[in-house]
Amino acid sequence: MPDPFEQPLPDPEPETEAGGTFTLALTLRWSSPGVEHSDCQVLQGINLQRDKLPPELEAGLRDQPHGTRVTHRWEHAEPLPRYREDDVLDIPDSAFNRHLRRRIIEPRAGRFYPRGFIAGVRGLLRENRTPFRVGSVGEDTLTVDLNHPMAGRDIELQARALDIRHSRRSGTATHDLVELAAHNGPGMQARWRGQPTDFWSDAPFRREDPAPDTRFYEKPRFVQHLDRAALAGIRRLYGALVPPESTVLDLMSSWVSHLDEVAAPTRVAGLGLNAEELDANPVLTERLIHDLNAEPRLPWDDVSFDAVVCTVSVEYLVHPVEVFSEARRVLRPGGRFVVTFSDRWFPPKAIALWEELHPFERMGLVVEYFLAAGGFGGITTWSLQGLPRPPDDKYADRLTLSDPVFAVWGHREN
């Protein structure tokens, strides 16, 4: 099977861009208890004469052809910030400003918040948006962790030289490329010191529109929810994770299944809410209208499928643990359940918690779904950010980068 961490990236082109710059894909690979993680950030307009890269990687890339991959492993997150125990503080519960936003926000164990919520602690200002983590919540005190989410972790860093056209970064400033790759989320999907994150308080599954989903999806929507580059990443990921000649269940399906690169599937069952959309899906061999929020149980026998996929829809589930348990039930031993999502959704139908979380925390939420359902092994999170948005995309004049892609998967253990 192809390596899923390599497949979603575009193939390199043979020449560099004008000015001697190129595009670099930096992939952080690391682990937390029971979960493997891989976070890829694509950085455009890189110049090794100007931008800083660890010497272990730079030496392997310099004067090499595009497509070259260099990998190095560090202990304790070198070259990222070291973990500092004195950055883990016990503070009075009253130091957390619950009224900083328009509504009252309670601190929850394992969750991230802007540092402005604890303005005054160590001289932090109200305007500070750098994330910090609430480690634990006591009766009168909070344990807060100001460390970088990746601090102290063993990491493997792979650099791959690409040449993607339409680079938009310019200028002469020096950038620390590893900091750019790790600054906006990696590490936030892992538990704090192995303790479950409290995603369950504050009515997390309430929705702006609580009416039956069959009413909302009564009319078909023949639209793509992500741009072409993001969708290509999802297709390649499914192609890498779903074996050839598999039987596949496409949960919360629509008019496109994104299974184009799965080799010769023998059966693809689509479960969705709009008959016209399902009828237009050419990959499906069987179609079923079924509302998982009204009835989480799947109408298939045990061990019916080799793989289950759910594409840009997990944010709508109000009974996610039950649905994940059902996905495990219908999988054959060793079969994968793959969940992919991005940062776009229908707000009236998304659960309230989803909109409150940092994108990388959402991966942590989906990990908790897998763990709460039980019976899954090989749990993995994966992210891809920074690809250029196709120039003919309808949002290209407003958004320079492709929609990010996030994925979590696991296999049925027995």
Side-chain angles (χ1 to χ4, degrees):
M1 182 183 297
D3 183 346
F5 302 118
E6 302 296 349
Q7 288 301 103
L9 293 176
D11 293 326
E13 298 181 17
E15 299 178 359
T16 61
E17 297 176 9
T21 63
F22 64 100
T23 298
L24 188 69
L26 282 179
T27 300
L28 287 166
R29 295 180 180 171
W30 53 286
S31 62
S32 61
V35 186
E36 297 297 318
H37 309 276
S38 181
D39 298 308
C40 181
Q41 178 75 50
V42 177
L43 303 170
Q44 302 176 57
I46 300 303
N47 186 328
L48 291 180
Q49 300 295 331
R50 176 195 69 203
D51 296 316
K52 178 183 175 184
L53 193 66
E56 297 90 341
L57 297 179
E58 182 178 342
L61 288 177
R62 191 173 293 279
D63 300 323
Q64 296 301 309
H66 291 291
T68 297
R69 296 177 177 85
V70 183
T71 302
H72 190 79
R73 184 172 181 82
W74 288 270
E75 294 185 355
H76 309 305
E78 296 286 351
L80 293 171
R82 288 186 174 273
Y83 189 85
R84 293 165 45 93
E85 280 293 343
D86 59 359
D87 281 338
V88 180
L89 314 173
D90 289 328
I91 65 172
D93 176 84
S94 59
F96 187 92
N97 185 354
R98 292 164 168 79
H99 301 277
L100 188 64
R101 299 283 171 82
R102 292 181 179 179
R103 62 181 183 83
I104 296 175
I105 295 179
E106 292 290 339
R108 300 301 179 191
R111 293 278 303 278
F112 286 87
Y113 304 89
R115 293 188 180 188
F117 274 87
I118 53 172
V121 173
R122 284 201 175 173
L124 294 174
L125 300 177
R126 184 186 178 100
E127 296 76 23
N128 192 326
R129 299 186 61 81
T130 303
F132 78 97
R133 192 168 209 169
V134 173
S136 61
V137 178
E139 186 174 340
D140 300 309
T141 62
L142 302 176
T143 299
V144 298
D145 191 340
L146 303 181
N147 283 287
H148 187 287
M150 287 296 298
R153 301 184 186 277
D154 296 345
I155 64 169
E156 179 182 285
L157 185 62
Q158 181 191 87
R160 179 183 176 189
L162 303 173
D163 185 11
I164 303 173
R165 302 302 179 184
H166 314 297
S167 177
R168 309 203 182 179
R169 204 179 109 192
S170 61
T172 58
T174 297
H175 298 87
D176 186 311
L177 301 181
V178 178
E179 286 186 4
L180 286 177
H183 87 288
N184 191 29
M188 298 175 75
Q189 66 266 55
R191 289 175 166 182
W192 188 77
R193 297 185 176 180
Q195 299 300 308
T197 302
D198 181 5
F199 290 122
W200 315 109
S201 298
D202 309 315
F205 302 113
R206 69 187 186 279
R207 299 189 293 174
E208 179 183 327
D209 177 7
D213 289 345
T214 49
R215 188 181 307 169
F216 185 84
Y217 294 98
E218 186 175 11
K219 294 182 179 180
R221 293 178 173 87
F222 293 105
V223 296
Q224 290 285 10
H225 298 291
L226 305 178
D227 71 273
R228 279 201 322 276
L231 292 172
I234 291 174
R235 288 196 300 270
R236 292 181 178 183
L237 188 68
Y238 288 162
L241 292 175
V242 179
E245 301 182 349
S246 289
T247 56
V248 184
L249 171 57
D250 183 9
L251 281 184
M252 306 173 82
S253 185
S254 180
W255 65 290
V256 181
S257 287
H258 313 294
L259 297 170
D260 312 59
E261 300 197 23
V262 175
T266 59
R267 174 191 182 196
V268 181
L271 179 151
L273 284 173
N274 185 275
E276 289 183 61
E277 292 184 15
L278 295 180
D279 287 343
N281 189 324
V283 176
L284 302 181
T285 60
E286 58 189 87
R287 298 160 177 83
L288 179 70
I289 303 298
H290 183 88
D291 184 354
L292 290 174
N293 285 337
E295 174 49 77
R297 183 169 177 81
L298 297 174
W300 284 281
D301 294 337
D302 297 354
V303 296
S304 293
F305 297 97
D306 299 311
V308 179
V309 301
C310 180
T311 310
V312 294
S313 295
V314 68
E315 59 268 29
Y316 305 120
L317 290 173
V318 299
H319 305 294
V321 176
E322 292 88 339
V323 172
F324 277 53
S325 296
E326 282 292 289
R328 178 193 175 277
R329 180 184 64 78
V330 301
L331 276 170
R332 298 188 174 106
R336 284 195 179 96
F337 181 24
V338 189
V339 178
T340 56
F341 51 92
S342 186
D343 59 359
R344 294 166 62 182
W345 56 83
F346 296 127
K349 284 300 182 181
I351 62 170
L353 176 63
W354 194 263
E355 303 189 59
E356 296 170 1
L357 296 177
H358 185 282
F360 276 74
E361 282 187 285
R362 292 174 192 142
M363 284 194 287
L365 173 64
V366 178
V367 167
E368 293 294 339
Y369 292 166
F370 274 100
L371 294 172
F376 286 101
I379 298 175
T380 303
T381 77
W382 176 85
S383 66
L384 174 61
Q385 300 184 98
L387 288 175
R389 184 171 289 269
D392 59 348
D393 185 85
K394 63 181 179 179
Y395 297 116
D397 61 336
R398 286 170 281 170
L399 300 171
T400 61
L401 297 181
S402 169
D403 298 313
V405 180
F406 306 98
V408 186
W409 65 83
H411 65 259
R412 175 171 173 165
E413 291 189 308
N414 53 55

